[in-house]
Coordinates of all heavy atoms in Angstrom, one line a residue:
M164 N 0.8 -1.2 -0.1 CA 0.0 0.0 0.0 C 0.9 1.3 0.0 O 1.9 1.3 0.7 CB -0.8 0.0 1.2 CG -1.6 1.3 1.5 SD -2.6 1.5 2.9 CE -2.4 0.2 3.9
S165 N 0.5 2.1 -0.8 CA 1.3 3.5 -0.9 C 1.1 4.3 0.3 O -0.1 4.3 0.9 CB 0.9 4.3 -2.1 OG 1.6 5.5 -2.1
A166 N 2.2 4.9 0.9 CA 2.1 5.8 2.0 C 2.1 7.2 1.8 O 2.1 8.0 2.6 CB 3.2 5.4 2.9
S167 N 2.1 7.6 0.4 CA 2.3 9.0 0.1 C 1.3 9.9 0.7 O 1.6 11.1 1.1 CB 2.1 9.1 -1.5 OG 3.1 8.5 -2.1
N168 N 0.1 9.5 0.8 CA -1.0 10.4 1.4 C -1.5 10.0 2.7 O -2.5 10.5 3.2 CB -2.2 10.5 0.4 CG -1.8 11.2 -0.8 OD1 -1.1 12.3 -0.8 ND2 -2.1 10.7 -2.1
M169 N -0.8 9.1 3.4 CA -1.2 8.7 4.7 C -1.0 9.8 5.7 O -0.1 10.7 5.6 CB -0.3 7.5 5.2 CG 1.1 7.7 5.6 SD 2.1 6.2 6.0 CE 1.3 6.0 7.7
P170 N -1.9 9.9 6.7 CA -1.7 10.9 7.7 C -0.4 10.7 8.4 O 0.0 9.6 8.7 CB -2.9 10.6 8.6 CG -3.9 9.8 8.1 CD -3.0 9.0 6.9
L171 N 0.2 11.8 8.8 CA 1.4 11.7 9.6 C 1.1 11.5 11.1 O 0.2 12.1 11.7 CB 2.2 13.0 9.4 CG 2.7 13.2 8.0 CD1 3.4 14.6 7.9 CD2 3.7 12.1 7.5
T172 N 2.0 10.7 11.7 CA 2.0 10.6 13.1 C 3.1 11.2 13.8 O 4.2 11.5 13.1 CB 2.1 9.1 13.6 OG1 3.4 8.6 13.1 CG2 0.9 8.2 12.9
P173 N 3.2 11.6 15.0 CA 4.3 12.2 15.7 C 5.6 11.4 15.5 O 6.6 11.9 15.2 CB 3.9 12.4 17.1 CG 2.3 12.5 17.1 CD 1.9 11.6 16.0
A174 N 5.4 10.0 15.6 CA 6.5 9.2 15.5 C 7.2 9.3 14.2 O 8.4 9.4 14.0 CB 6.3 7.8 15.9
L175 N 6.4 9.3 13.1 CA 6.9 9.4 11.7 C 7.6 10.7 11.5 O 8.6 10.7 10.9 CB 5.7 9.1 10.8 CG 6.2 8.9 9.2 CD1 7.2 7.9 9.1 CD2 4.9 8.7 8.4
V176 N 7.0 11.8 12.0 CA 7.7 13.1 11.8 C 9.0 13.1 12.5 O 10.0 13.5 11.9 CB 6.7 14.2 12.3 CG1 7.5 15.5 12.3 CG2 5.5 14.2 11.5
R177 N 9.1 12.5 13.7 CA 10.3 12.5 14.4 C 11.4 11.7 13.8 O 12.6 12.1 13.6 CB 10.2 11.9 15.9 CG 9.5 13.0 16.8 CD 9.4 12.5 18.2 NE 8.6 13.4 19.0 CZ 7.2 13.1 19.1 NH1 6.7 12.0 18.7 NH2 6.5 14.0 19.8
W178 N 10.9 10.5 13.2 CA 12.0 9.6 12.5 C 12.4 10.2 11.2 O 13.5 10.1 10.9 CB 11.4 8.3 12.5 CG 11.6 7.5 13.6 CD1 10.6 7.1 14.5 CD2 12.8 7.0 14.3 NE1 11.1 6.4 15.6 CE2 12.4 6.4 15.5 CE3 14.0 7.2 14.0 CZ2 13.4 5.9 16.3 CZ3 15.1 6.7 14.8 CH2 14.7 6.0 16.0
A179 N 11.5 10.9 10.6 CA 11.9 11.6 9.3 C 13.0 12.6 9.6 O 14.0 12.6 8.9 CB 10.7 12.3 8.7
Y180 N 12.9 13.4 10.7 CA 13.9 14.4 11.0 C 15.2 13.6 11.3 O 16.3 14.0 11.0 CB 13.3 15.2 12.2 CG 12.7 16.5 11.8 CD1 11.4 16.4 11.3 CD2 13.3 17.7 12.0 CE1 10.7 17.6 10.9 CE2 12.6 18.9 11.7 CZ 11.3 18.8 11.1 OH 10.7 20.0 10.7
R181 N 15.1 12.6 12.1 CA 16.2 11.9 12.6 C 17.0 11.2 11.4 O 18.2 11.4 11.2 CB 15.9 10.8 13.6 CG 15.4 11.3 14.9 CD 14.9 10.3 15.8 NE 14.4 10.9 17.0 CZ 13.5 10.2 17.9 NH1 13.0 9.0 17.5 NH2 13.2 10.8 19.0
F182 N 16.3 10.6 10.5 CA 16.8 9.9 9.3 C 17.5 10.9 8.3 O 18.5 10.7 7.9 CB 15.8 9.0 8.6 CG 15.5 7.7 9.3 CD1 14.1 7.3 9.3 CD2 16.4 7.0 10.1 CE1 13.8 6.1 10.0 CE2 16.0 5.9 10.7 CZ 14.7 5.4 10.7
L183 N 16.6 11.9 8.1 CA 17.1 12.8 7.0 C 18.0 13.9 7.5 O 19.0 14.3 6.7 CB 15.9 13.4 6.3 CG 15.0 12.3 5.7 CD1 13.7 13.0 5.1 CD2 15.7 11.6 4.5
L184 N 17.7 14.5 8.6 CA 18.5 15.7 9.1 C 19.5 15.3 10.3 O 20.3 16.1 10.7 CB 17.6 16.7 9.7 CG 16.8 17.4 8.5 CD1 15.7 18.4 9.1 CD2 17.6 18.2 7.5
G185 N 19.3 14.1 10.8 CA 20.2 13.7 11.9 C 19.9 14.4 13.3 O 20.8 14.5 14.1
R186 N 18.7 14.9 13.4 CA 18.3 15.5 14.7 C 16.8 15.3 14.9 O 16.1 15.0 13.9 CB 18.6 17.0 14.6 CG 17.8 17.8 13.6 CD 18.1 19.3 13.7 NE 17.3 20.1 12.8 CZ 16.1 20.4 12.9 NH1 15.4 20.1 14.0 NH2 15.6 21.3 12.0
D187 N 16.4 15.6 16.2 CA 15.0 15.7 16.4 C 14.4 17.0 16.0 O 15.0 18.1 15.9 CB 14.7 15.6 17.9 CG 14.9 14.1 18.3 OD1 14.3 13.2 17.6 OD2 15.5 13.8 19.4
P188 N 13.1 17.0 15.7 CA 12.3 18.3 15.5 C 12.6 19.4 16.5 O 12.8 19.0 17.8 CB 10.9 18.1 15.3 CG 10.8 16.5 15.1 CD 12.1 15.9 15.7
E189 N 12.7 20.7 16.1 CA 13.0 21.7 17.2 C 12.0 21.8 18.3 O 12.3 22.4 19.3 CB 13.3 23.1 16.4 CG 12.3 23.4 15.4 CD 12.7 22.9 14.0 OE1 12.3 21.6 13.8 OE2 13.2 23.5 13.1
S190 N 10.8 21.4 18.1 CA 9.7 21.5 19.1 C 8.5 20.6 18.8 O 8.3 20.1 17.7 CB 9.2 23.0 19.2 OG 8.5 23.3 18.0
E191 N 7.7 20.4 19.9 CA 6.5 19.7 19.7 C 5.6 20.5 18.7 O 4.8 19.8 18.0 CB 5.8 19.4 21.0 CG 6.6 18.3 21.8 CD 6.6 17.1 21.0 OE1 5.6 16.5 20.6 OE2 7.8 16.4 20.9
A192 N 5.7 21.7 18.7 CA 4.7 22.5 17.9 C 5.0 22.2 16.4 O 4.1 22.1 15.4 CB 5.0 24.0 18.1
V193 N 6.3 21.9 15.9 CA 6.6 21.6 14.6 C 6.1 20.2 14.3 O 5.6 20.0 13.3 CB 8.2 21.6 14.5 CG1 8.6 21.0 13.1 CG2 8.7 23.0 14.6
V194 N 6.2 19.3 15.3 CA 5.7 18.0 15.1 C 4.1 18.1 14.9 O 3.6 17.4 13.9 CB 5.9 17.1 16.2 CG1 5.3 15.7 16.1 CG2 7.5 16.8 16.4
E195 N 3.5 18.9 15.6 CA 2.0 18.9 15.5 C 1.6 19.7 14.3 O 0.6 19.3 13.6 CB 1.4 19.7 16.8 CG 1.6 19.0 18.2 CD 1.2 19.9 19.3 OE1 0.6 20.9 19.2 OE2 1.5 19.5 20.4
N196 N 2.4 20.7 13.8 CA 2.0 21.2 12.5 C 2.1 20.3 11.3 O 1.3 20.3 10.6 CB 3.0 22.4 12.3 CG 2.6 23.7 13.2 OD1 1.5 23.8 13.7 ND2 3.7 24.5 13.4
W197 N 3.1 19.5 11.3 CA 3.3 18.5 10.3 C 2.1 17.6 10.4 O 1.5 17.2 9.3 CB 4.7 17.8 10.4 CG 5.7 18.5 9.7 CD1 6.9 19.0 10.3 CD2 6.0 18.8 8.3 NE1 7.7 19.6 9.4 CE2 7.1 19.4 8.1 CE3 5.1 18.5 7.2 CZ2 7.6 19.8 6.9 CZ3 5.6 18.9 5.9 CH2 6.9 19.5 5.8
C198 N 1.8 17.1 11.5 CA 0.8 16.1 11.7 C -0.6 16.6 11.3 O -1.4 16.0 10.7 CB 0.8 15.6 13.1 SG 2.1 14.5 13.6
G199 N -0.8 17.9 11.5 CA -2.1 18.5 11.3 C -2.3 18.9 9.7 O -3.4 19.0 9.3
A200 N -1.1 19.2 9.1 CA -1.2 19.9 7.8 C -0.5 19.2 6.7 O -0.7 19.5 5.5 CB -0.8 21.3 7.9
G201 N 0.1 18.1 7.0 CA 1.0 17.5 6.1 C 0.7 16.0 5.8 O -0.1 15.4 6.4
N202 N 1.3 15.5 4.7 CA 1.3 14.1 4.4 C 2.7 13.7 4.2 O 3.7 14.5 4.2 CB 0.4 13.7 3.2 CG 0.9 14.5 1.9 OD1 2.0 14.7 1.7 ND2 -0.2 14.9 1.2
L203 N 3.0 12.4 4.0 CA 4.3 11.9 3.9 C 5.1 12.5 2.6 O 6.2 12.9 2.8 CB 4.2 10.4 3.7 CG 5.7 9.7 3.5 CD1 6.5 9.8 4.8 CD2 5.6 8.3 3.1
T204 N 4.5 12.6 1.5 CA 5.2 13.3 0.4 C 5.5 14.7 0.6 O 6.7 15.1 0.4 CB 4.2 13.3 -0.8 OG1 3.9 11.8 -1.1 CG2 4.9 13.9 -2.0
G205 N 4.6 15.4 1.4 CA 4.9 16.9 1.8 C 6.1 16.9 2.8 O 7.0 17.8 2.5
L206 N 6.0 16.0 3.7 CA 7.1 15.9 4.8 C 8.4 15.7 4.1 O 9.5 16.4 4.3 CB 6.8 15.1 5.9 CG 7.9 14.7 6.9 CD1 8.1 16.0 7.7 CD2 7.4 13.5 7.8
R207 N 8.5 14.6 3.4 CA 9.7 14.3 2.8 C 10.3 15.3 1.8 O 11.4 15.7 1.8 CB 9.5 12.9 2.0 CG 10.7 12.2 1.5 CD 10.5 10.8 1.0 NE 9.3 10.8 0.0 CZ 8.5 9.8 0.1 NH1 8.7 8.6 0.7 NH2 7.5 9.8 -0.8
D208 N 9.4 15.9 0.9 CA 9.8 16.9 0.1 C 10.3 18.1 0.7 O 11.2 18.8 0.3 CB 8.7 17.2 -1.0 CG 8.5 16.0 -2.0 OD1 9.3 15.1 -1.9 OD2 7.4 16.1 -2.7
G209 N 9.5 18.5 1.9 CA 9.8 19.7 2.6 C 11.2 19.6 3.3 O 12.0 20.6 3.2
I210 N 11.5 18.5 3.8 CA 12.8 18.3 4.5 C 13.9 18.2 3.4 O 14.9 18.9 3.5 CB 12.9 17.0 5.3 CG1 11.9 17.3 6.6 CG2 14.4 16.7 5.8 CD1 11.9 16.0 7.4
L211 N 13.7 17.4 2.4 CA 14.8 17.3 1.3 C 15.0 18.5 0.5 O 16.1 18.7 0.1 CB 14.3 16.2 0.4 CG 14.4 14.7 1.0 CD1 13.8 13.7 -0.1 CD2 15.7 14.3 1.4
S212 N 14.1 19.5 0.4 CA 14.3 20.7 -0.3 C 14.7 21.8 0.6 O 14.8 23.0 0.1 CB 13.1 21.0 -1.1 OG 12.0 21.4 -0.4
S213 N 14.9 21.6 1.9 CA 15.1 22.7 2.8 C 16.6 23.1 2.8 O 17.5 22.4 2.4 CB 14.8 22.2 4.3 OG 15.8 21.3 4.7
P214 N 16.8 24.3 3.2 CA 18.1 24.9 3.2 C 19.1 24.1 4.2 O 20.3 23.8 3.9 CB 18.1 26.3 3.8 CG 16.7 26.7 3.4 CD 15.8 25.4 3.4
E215 N 18.4 23.6 5.3 CA 19.2 22.7 6.3 C 19.7 21.5 5.6 O 20.8 20.9 5.7 CB 18.4 22.4 7.5 CG 19.1 21.7 8.5 CD 18.2 21.3 9.8 OE1 17.1 21.8 9.9 OE2 18.8 20.6 10.7
M216 N 18.8 20.8 4.8 CA 19.1 19.6 4.1 C 20.3 19.8 3.1 O 21.3 19.0 3.0 CB 17.9 19.0 3.5 CG 18.3 17.6 2.9 SD 18.4 16.4 4.2 CE 19.6 15.2 3.3
A217 N 20.2 20.9 2.5 CA 21.4 21.3 1.5 C 22.6 21.4 2.4 O 23.7 21.0 1.7 CB 21.0 22.6 0.8
A218 N 22.6 22.1 3.4 CA 23.8 22.3 4.2 C 24.3 20.9 4.8 O 25.6 20.7 4.7 CB 23.5 23.3 5.5
V219 N 23.5 20.1 5.2 CA 23.9 18.7 5.6 C 24.5 18.0 4.5 O 25.6 17.4 4.6 CB 22.6 18.0 6.2 CG1 23.0 16.5 6.6 CG2 22.1 18.6 7.6
S220 N 24.0 18.0 3.4 CA 24.5 17.4 2.1 C 25.8 17.9 1.8 O 26.7 17.2 1.5 CB 23.5 17.5 1.1 OG 24.0 16.9 -0.1
M221 N 25.9 19.2 1.7 CA 27.1 19.9 1.3 C 28.2 19.6 2.4 O 29.5 19.6 1.9 CB 27.0 21.3 1.1 CG 26.2 21.6 -0.2 SD 25.8 23.4 -0.4 CE 27.5 23.9 -0.8
S222 N 28.0 19.3 3.6 CA 28.9 19.1 4.5 C 29.3 17.6 4.6 O 30.2 17.2 5.5 CB 28.5 19.6 6.0 OG 27.4 18.8 6.4
G223 N 28.8 16.8 3.7 CA 29.2 15.4 3.7 C 28.5 14.5 4.7 O 28.9 13.5 5.0
F224 N 27.4 14.9 5.2 CA 26.5 14.2 6.1 C 27.4 13.8 7.3 O 27.7 12.7 7.6 CB 26.0 12.8 5.4 CG 25.0 13.2 4.3 CD1 25.4 13.2 3.0 CD2 23.7 13.6 4.7 CE1 24.5 13.6 2.0 CE2 22.8 13.8 3.6 CZ 23.2 13.8 2.3
P225 N 27.8 14.8 8.1 CA 28.6 14.6 9.3 C 27.8 13.7 10.3 O 26.7 13.4 10.0 CB 29.0 15.9 9.8 CG 27.8 16.7 9.4 CD 27.5 16.2 7.9
D226 N 28.5 13.4 11.4 CA 27.8 12.6 12.5 C 26.4 13.0 12.6 O 26.0 14.2 12.8 CB 28.6 12.9 13.8 CG 28.0 12.1 14.9 OD1 27.3 11.0 14.7 OD2 28.3 12.5 16.0
R227 N 25.5 12.0 12.6 CA 24.0 12.2 12.5 C 23.3 12.3 13.9 O 22.2 12.3 13.9 CB 23.5 11.2 11.7 CG 24.1 11.1 10.2 CD 23.9 12.2 9.4 NE 22.5 12.3 9.0 CZ 21.9 13.0 8.1 NH1 22.7 14.0 7.6 NH2 20.7 13.0 7.8
G228 N 24.0 12.3 14.9 CA 23.4 12.5 16.3 C 23.4 11.2 17.0 O 23.7 10.1 16.5
G229 N 23.3 11.2 18.2 CA 23.4 10.1 19.2 C 22.3 9.2 19.1 O 22.5 8.0 19.5
W230 N 21.2 9.4 18.5 CA 20.1 8.6 18.4 C 20.4 7.3 17.6 O 19.9 6.2 17.8 CB 18.8 9.2 17.8 CG 19.0 9.7 16.4 CD1 19.5 10.9 16.0 CD2 18.9 8.9 15.2 NE1 19.6 10.9 14.6 CE2 19.2 9.7 14.2 CE3 18.4 7.6 15.0 CZ2 19.1 9.2 12.9 CZ3 18.4 7.1 13.7 CH2 18.7 8.0 12.7
V231 N 21.4 7.4 16.7 CA 21.8 6.3 15.8 C 22.5 5.1 16.7 O 22.6 4.0 16.2 CB 22.6 6.7 14.7 CG1 21.9 7.6 13.7 CG2 24.0 7.3 15.1
D232 N 23.0 5.5 17.8 CA 23.6 4.5 18.6 C 22.7 3.6 19.4 O 23.1 2.6 20.0 CB 24.6 5.1 19.6 CG 25.8 5.8 19.0 OD1 26.1 5.3 17.8 OD2 26.1 6.9 19.5
N233 N 21.4 3.9 19.4 CA 20.4 3.1 20.1 C 19.9 2.0 19.4 O 20.1 1.9 18.1 CB 19.2 4.1 20.5 CG 19.5 5.2 21.3 OD1 20.4 5.1 22.2 ND2 18.9 6.3 21.1
L234 N 19.3 1.0 19.9 CA 18.7 -0.1 19.4 C 17.6 0.2 18.3 O 17.0 1.2 18.6 CB 18.1 -1.2 20.3 CG 19.2 -1.9 21.1 CD1 18.4 -2.7 22.3 CD2 20.0 -2.7 20.4
V235 N 17.5 -0.4 17.2 CA 16.4 0.0 16.2 C 15.2 -0.7 16.6 O 15.1 -1.8 17.0 CB 16.9 -0.6 14.9 CG1 15.7 -0.4 13.9 CG2 18.1 0.0 14.4
T236 N 14.2 0.1 17.0 CA 12.9 -0.4 17.4 C 12.0 -0.6 16.2 O 12.3 -0.3 15.1 CB 12.2 0.8 18.2 OG1 11.9 2.0 17.3 CG2 12.9 1.2 19.4
D237 N 10.8 -1.3 16.4 CA 9.9 -1.7 15.4 C 9.4 -0.3 14.8 O 9.2 -0.2 13.5 CB 8.8 -2.5 15.9 CG 9.1 -3.8 16.4 OD1 10.2 -4.4 15.9 OD2 8.3 -4.6 17.1
Q238 N 9.2 0.6 15.6 CA 8.7 1.9 15.2 C 9.7 2.6 14.2 O 9.2 3.2 13.2 CB 8.4 2.8 16.4 CG 7.8 4.2 16.1 CD 7.7 5.0 17.3 OE1 8.6 5.3 18.0 NE2 6.5 5.2 17.8
A239 N 10.9 2.5 14.6 CA 11.9 3.1 13.7 C 12.1 2.4 12.4 O 12.2 2.9 11.3 CB 13.3 3.1 14.3
A240 N 12.0 1.0 12.3 CA 12.1 0.2 11.2 C 10.9 0.4 10.3 O 11.0 0.6 9.0 CB 12.2 -1.3 11.5
A241 N 9.7 0.6 10.8 CA 8.5 0.9 10.1 C 8.6 2.3 9.3 O 8.4 2.4 8.3 CB 7.3 0.8 10.9
A242 N 9.2 3.3 10.3 CA 9.3 4.6 9.6 C 10.3 4.6 8.5 O 10.1 5.3 7.5 CB 9.7 5.6 10.7
C243 N 11.4 3.9 8.7 CA 12.4 3.7 7.6 C 11.8 3.3 6.3 O 11.9 3.7 5.2 CB 13.5 2.9 8.0 SG 14.8 2.9 6.9
L244 N 11.0 2.2 6.4 CA 10.3 1.6 5.2 C 9.3 2.6 4.6 O 9.2 2.7 3.4 CB 9.6 0.3 5.6 CG 10.4 -1.0 5.9 CD1 9.6 -2.1 6.4 CD2 11.1 -1.3 4.5
I245 N 8.5 3.2 5.5 CA 7.5 4.2 5.0 C 8.3 5.4 4.2 O 7.9 5.7 3.1 CB 6.8 4.7 6.0 CG1 5.9 3.6 6.6 CG2 5.9 5.9 5.6 CD1 5.1 4.0 7.9
L246 N 9.4 5.8 4.8 CA 10.1 7.1 4.2 C 10.9 6.7 3.0 O 10.8 7.3 2.0 CB 11.0 7.6 5.2 CG 10.3 8.4 6.4 CD1 11.3 8.6 7.5 CD2 9.8 9.7 5.9
A247 N 11.5 5.5 3.0 CA 12.4 5.1 1.9 C 11.7 4.5 0.8 O 12.1 4.6 -0.4 CB 13.5 4.2 2.4
Q248 N 10.7 3.6 1.0 CA 10.1 2.9 0.0 C 8.6 3.3 -0.3 O 8.0 2.7 -1.2 CB 10.1 1.4 0.4 CG 11.5 0.9 0.5 CD 11.5 -0.6 1.0 OE1 10.5 -1.2 1.2 NE2 12.6 -1.1 1.1
D249 N 8.1 4.4 0.4 CA 6.8 4.8 0.2 C 5.8 3.6 0.3 O 4.8 3.5 -0.3 CB 6.5 5.5 -1.2 CG 5.3 6.2 -1.2 OD1 4.7 6.6 -0.3 OD2 4.9 6.5 -2.4
T250 N 6.1 2.7 1.3 CA 5.3 1.5 1.6 C 4.9 1.4 2.9 O 5.8 1.5 3.8 CB 6.0 0.3 1.1 OG1 6.3 0.4 -0.3 CG2 5.2 -1.0 1.2
V251 N 3.7 1.0 3.2 CA 3.3 0.8 4.7 C 3.6 -0.7 4.8 O 3.0 -1.6 4.3 CB 2.0 1.1 4.9 CG1 1.4 0.8 6.4 CG2 1.6 2.6 4.7
P252 N 4.6 -1.1 5.9 CA 4.8 -2.5 6.0 C 3.7 -3.1 6.7 O 2.9 -2.6 7.5 CB 6.1 -2.4 7.1 CG 5.9 -1.1 7.7 CD 5.3 -0.2 6.8
D253 N 3.5 -4.5 6.3 CA 2.4 -5.3 7.0 C 3.0 -5.7 8.3 O 4.2 -5.6 8.7 CB 2.0 -6.4 6.1 CG 3.1 -7.4 5.9 OD1 4.1 -7.5 6.5 OD2 2.9 -8.2 4.8
A254 N 2.2 -6.2 9.2 CA 2.5 -6.6 10.5 C 3.6 -7.6 10.6 O 4.6 -7.6 11.5 CB 1.3 -7.1 11.3
A255 N 3.6 -8.6 9.6 CA 4.7 -9.6 9.6 C 6.0 -8.9 9.2 O 7.1 -9.6 9.7 CB 4.4 -10.6 8.5
A256 N 6.0 -7.9 8.4 CA 7.4 -7.4 8.0 C 8.1 -6.7 9.2 O 9.2 -6.5 9.3 CB 7.1 -6.4 7.0

């Protein structure tokens, strides 16, 4: 199933920021704004076309933050599949 127009959850917004920018969103208000007004395509395109993403890319994607040292949770794995493959994983995956 395509995830392009799925409603955003706080967890998906947080993981998108972590995976793409290497940091958590700057505030809960930012998370709530994305959840209330965005979809996956808009979130992904918004982050990828941001000046911050350009700066991260031009700096060679330096250390992406301490969150990467933690164990990968089911929530993180699902967010990765949704963001990277535009696919909602089934429960077995």
Side-chain angles (χ1 to χ4, degrees):
M164 168 184 5
S165 175
S167 296
N168 293 313
M169 69 180 289
L171 295 175
T172 64
L175 187 54
V176 171
R177 284 187 195 91
W178 281 110
Y180 270 72
R181 291 170 180 163
F182 288 143
L183 298 173
L184 296 173
R186 66 172 179 85
D187 282 316
E189 43 276 78
S190 68
E191 284 303 308
V193 169
V194 173
E195 290 173 20
N196 286 341
W197 276 114
C198 289
N202 58 36
L203 178 65
T204 300
L206 173 66
R207 190 171 44 212
D208 291 350
I210 292 174
L211 291 176
S212 65
S213 71
E215 181 179 358
M216 187 69 213
V219 168
S220 175
M221 290 178 67
S222 66
F224 298 97
D226 184 20
R227 309 292 288 186
W230 64 268
V231 297
D232 295 329
N233 297 324
L234 292 175
V235 175
T236 64
D237 291 344
Q238 186 182 65
C243 184
L244 286 172
I245 292 168
L246 289 164
Q248 299 178 359
D249 194 21
T250 302
V251 177
D253 62 21

